[in-house]
Amino acid sequence: DTGVSQDPRHKITKRGQNVTFRCDPISEHNRLYWYRQTLGQGPEFLTYFQNEAQLEKSRLLSDRFSAERPKGSFSTLEIQRTEQGDSAMYLCASSLGPGRAAEQFFGPGTRLTVL
Amino acid sequence: AQKVTQAQTEISVVEKEDVTLDCVYETRDTTYYLFWYKQPPSGELVFLIRRNSFDEQNEISGRYSWNFQKSTSSFNFTITASQVVDSAVYFCALSGGNDKLIFGTGTRLQVFP
């Protein structure tokens, strides 16, 4: 399968713990995006990368969140000191980019539950 | 500010009925792109269509058709002869002055046999 993959698919953690998610984009795609989706809502943009450069971060991305794409391939999203409000589906997407017209292909998401 | 509104939270139809999902957008950009995505129960977002702001031609793909009207800032999606497999949440999205997608809140479509 050559689509976007995310790991893990599900994560349950206790409040205050740190969690890290991984996203592997489609191999030739140089743009990678992170979105967050809460129940009954559409996905909300968090951040995106052009190769290894992080080009934009949403105000939703508090200081507890950090994302990296060290070699321009896979990306990680870390949440420190998790809170119950962080419970959501975290979606990764990739595109050939640049450009607003580029179709974003989404992964299956990582569902985070913070107890 | 950019915004996408999907006023229909949930729609239920019986198989073979036609159904239209509404999408209204707001943007100050003169060049922008509109998208529709499908999210089946499995959760993965599936791309359906992309439209740029300079192309108001309607598009048909099989049982799917899209009506883009700049005058009313709408980009509606019609499924003809709906099937049970069409049951999903459908999202309309806008890409404006930057690269991110702005999604609406989605419309849940349930097609009953």
Side-chain angles (χ1 to χ4, degrees):
Chain A
D1 188 288
T2 56
V4 178
S5 62
Q6 293 186 247
D7 184 69
R9 294 291 305 277
H10 303 273
K11 179 70 176 179
I12 299 174
T13 191
K14 293 182 179 179
R15 190 176 53 184
Q17 297 294 304
N18 299 343
V19 293
T20 300
F21 310 141
R22 176 179 169 126
C23 171
D24 287 87
I26 295 172
S27 58
E28 65 268 26
H29 285 185
N30 49 38
R31 291 236 165 159
L32 186 148
Y33 309 79
W34 285 100
Y35 293 83
R36 182 173 70 186
Q37 185 178 19
T38 54
L39 204 60
Q41 300 297 314
E44 295 174 293
F45 170 81
L46 293 178
T47 188
Y48 83 98
F49 294 84
Q50 170 76 30
N51 299 315
E52 65 275 10
Q54 189 171 18
L55 297 186
E56 184 176 344
K57 292 195 295 185
S58 162
R59 286 175 294 177
L60 293 174
L61 218 62
S62 76
D63 291 344
R64 298 183 297 105
F65 287 71
S66 63
E68 293 183 343
R69 194 181 182 198
K71 295 181 180 179
S73 56
F74 72 92
S75 175
T76 58
L77 177 68
E78 180 183 17
I79 308 175
Q80 295 182 327
R81 305 182 303 282
T82 52
E83 301 172 356
Q84 287 183 327
D86 296 332
S87 296
M89 176 78 87
Y90 290 84
L91 296 165
C92 177
S94 70
S95 74
L96 278 170
R100 293 162 282 169
E103 177 189 340
Q104 294 182 26
F105 293 84
F106 283 82
T110 294
R111 183 170 295 284
L112 173 65
T113 302
V114 182
L115 303 176
Chain B
Q2 296 169 337
K3 187 178 178 182
V4 175
T5 301
Q6 295 180 257
Q8 303 152 307
T9 305
E10 187 162 340
I11 300 175
S12 295
V13 298
V14 176
E15 217 171 10
K16 296 184 183 177
E17 282 187 42
D18 298 347
V19 57
T20 295
L21 310 181
D22 297 332
C23 173
V24 174
Y25 63 91
E26 295 175 32
T27 181
R28 292 179 184 173
D29 293 329
T30 53
T31 302
Y32 53 89
Y33 294 85
L34 296 163
F35 303 78
W36 276 95
Y37 280 85
K38 174 182 180 179
Q39 190 172 44
S42 61
E44 194 160 339
L45 282 162
V46 177
F47 168 83
L48 295 177
I49 189 172
R50 171 185 55 234
R51 213 30 152 197
N52 76 57
S53 52
F54 298 108
D55 183 2
E56 287 192 71
Q57 272 195 326
N58 291 333
E59 182 157 340
I60 298 174
S61 176
R63 295 184 297 107
Y64 296 170
S65 62
W66 291 269
N67 183 282
F68 175 31
Q69 293 193 343
K70 284 181 78 170
S71 60
T72 56
S73 298
S74 65
F75 186 44
N76 296 338
F77 173 30
T78 297
I79 302 175
T80 303
S82 59
Q83 299 176 1
V84 172
V85 292
D86 295 328
S87 296
V89 180
Y90 291 86
F91 290 97
C92 181
L94 167 71
S95 179
N98 50 36
D99 208 41
K100 64 188 180 188
L101 291 173
I102 309 295
F103 285 87
T105 51
T107 298
R108 179 178 299 278
L109 174 65
Q110 292 196 67
V111 182
F112 294 100

